[in-house]
Amino acid sequence: MVKTIAQAGLAVNEKLVIRRNRITNPNIGSSGSKRACIVTGTHGDELEGQFVCAKLADYLHENSSALSGIVDIYPALNPLGIDSITRGIPMFDLDMNRIFPGTSEGTMAECIAADIISDIKGADICIDIHSSNIYLKEIPQVRINEISADYLVPYAKMLNVDYIWIHSSATVLESTLAYSLNDIGTKTLVVEMGVGMRITKEYCDQLIVGILNLLKNIGIWNGPTEPVREPILSFDHDVEFVNSSAAGIFVPCVDHWVDIEKGAHIGDVLDPATGRVEEYVTAPCAGRIFTLREFPIVYGGSLIARILGGEINA
């Protein structure tokens, strides 16, 4: 059942509308049932979650008799951004994931944020799906702040991701949806995967397998599930950043999610006018590349890759 959970008036008699699709087993009541929320579209240029929501909603509707709880799907928290393929809220130049938990007495965006928090609050689990931006490709991963790692990591391991990255509390933004929900006791996992403005189908399918597995483990789904992979778990100090020191076109010579040795050739930064190699990019450590530059234009300081350092056991 699709329901409007937040709305605001816009110019020319239009409305900003946030909708939720609630999927339940029609043969049982929903009173007292466990509830999971699948949330995406906070950033309008992140489209991987749109595909996940579409496929998951279709599958759960077709197999709703296997549900023993509630699945709430929020496919577009920032519909104006999605309509215009804009990361933030258009016209306001505002990142929606920097205004939570919001307030009913604030601006339009703050009121919308408060309504979203109010509707999700109390769920047994929330999965907040993000893509990377247009510049970088990320393998499917869950990002967790160390404050909530003890109780979130067991759920993250159910999601069939390749990697769980635990951030230090100093780098966590308190104005995000995930932080705000975890702060009021609603367990929320942040998934990052793929590339901005496109859909990586194999990553989306991988996550759907994980979502069904998690739903089964918490008692919401009684249908079939597939085996899930064991993710690599790491902390901030395990991650090395590779940044360009020159401007030009970056051409990688390694694949994503591969093991490399210290000093290995990652790619070249080329000067398109002269054809010269401006920078021969090498790995500062041994490990596995989990973030790799997708958009080729770089400047000094542009992020080329992130490497999970040390010996990898997976």
Side-chain angles (χ1 to χ4, degrees):
M1 180 179 66
V2 177
K3 177 183 177 182
T4 296
I5 59 109
Q7 63 181 330
L10 299 172
V12 201
N13 293 321
E14 293 183 326
K15 286 185 178 180
L16 167 63
V17 177
I18 314 294
R19 293 187 174 94
R20 178 198 72 205
N21 182 11
R22 173 161 290 181
I23 306 172
T24 60
N25 186 334
N27 300 316
I28 61 175
S30 59
S31 178
S33 297
K34 290 187 175 181
R35 178 166 65 106
C37 297
I38 315 299
V39 180
T40 194
T42 307
H43 296 131
D45 62 348
E46 298 180 355
L47 306 179
E48 310 274 8
Q50 302 287 302
F51 187 69
V52 171
C53 286
K55 287 201 69 175
L56 186 64
D58 180 63
Y59 183 76
L60 292 179
H61 276 300
E62 290 295 320
N63 298 277
S64 59
S65 60
L67 284 169
S68 54
I70 300 167
V71 178
D72 283 338
I73 295 177
Y74 302 75
L77 294 192
N78 178 13
L80 295 179
I82 291 173
D83 287 346
S84 58
I85 320 178
T86 304
R87 186 168 182 81
I89 301 175
M91 300 177 291
F92 295 92
D93 192 25
L94 183 66
D95 187 334
M96 189 173 189
N97 211 27
R98 301 295 182 270
I99 58 174
F100 290 100
T103 171
S104 59
E105 298 178 354
T107 63
M108 181 194 77
E110 290 173 318
C111 290
I112 292 290
D115 287 342
I116 292 169
I117 290 287
S118 177
D119 202 73
I120 298 174
K121 180 176 66 176
D124 294 274
I125 195 74
C126 177
I127 303 169
D128 182 16
I129 305 172
H130 290 261
S131 304
S132 185
N133 52 42
I134 64 170
Y135 303 102
L136 304 167
K137 185 176 183 180
E138 302 278 4
I139 53 95
Q141 61 195 264
V142 175
R143 297 184 180 180
I144 299 172
N145 87 61
E146 63 183 7
I147 299 171
S148 49
D150 286 346
Y151 63 86
L152 286 183
V153 166
Y155 294 98
K157 288 182 175 181
M158 302 174 192
L159 274 179
N160 199 34
V161 296
D162 296 291
Y163 176 43
I164 299 172
W165 186 0
I166 299 176
H167 286 277
S168 66
S169 57
T171 63
V172 173
L173 296 172
E174 297 183 6
S175 53
T176 63
L177 174 66
Y179 183 95
S180 299
L181 287 170
N182 280 309
D183 192 48
I184 59 175
T186 300
K187 301 181 187 70
T188 303
L189 299 168
V190 176
V191 175
E192 295 265 358
M193 64 181 185
V195 188
M197 294 192 185
R198 68 191 70 178
I199 291 170
T200 313
K201 186 176 180 296
E202 60 268 30
Y203 288 175
C204 296
D205 291 339
Q206 177 182 335
L207 181 61
I208 290 170
V209 168
I211 291 173
L212 291 173
N213 178 66
L214 187 150
L215 294 179
K216 188 159 195 173
N217 274 277
I218 65 175
I220 290 178
W221 172 249
N222 298 317
T225 56
E226 299 176 27
V228 298
R229 60 194 70 192
E230 181 70 23
I232 296 168
L233 183 67
S234 82
F235 297 82
D236 277 347
H237 58 76
D238 299 321
V239 176
E240 291 281 349
F241 290 72
V242 182
N243 297 90
S244 174
S245 60
I249 297 174
F250 173 69
V251 181
C253 63
V254 294
D255 292 326
H256 202 220
W257 199 231
V258 296
D259 293 334
I260 57 172
E261 297 297 325
K262 183 177 181 179
H265 187 199
I266 294 176
D268 298 309
V269 177
L270 307 177
D271 183 337
T274 66
R276 289 196 304 264
V277 176
E278 295 294 323
E279 183 181 4
Y280 181 86
V281 184
T282 59
C285 67
R288 184 173 296 182
I289 295 177
F290 70 92
T291 302
L292 186 62
R293 187 81 180 183
E294 183 80 8
F295 190 76
I297 303 299
V298 296
Y299 299 94
S302 294
L303 183 62
I304 296 291
R306 294 190 188 99
I307 302 172
L308 177 58
E311 184 178 346
I312 306 300
N313 295 310

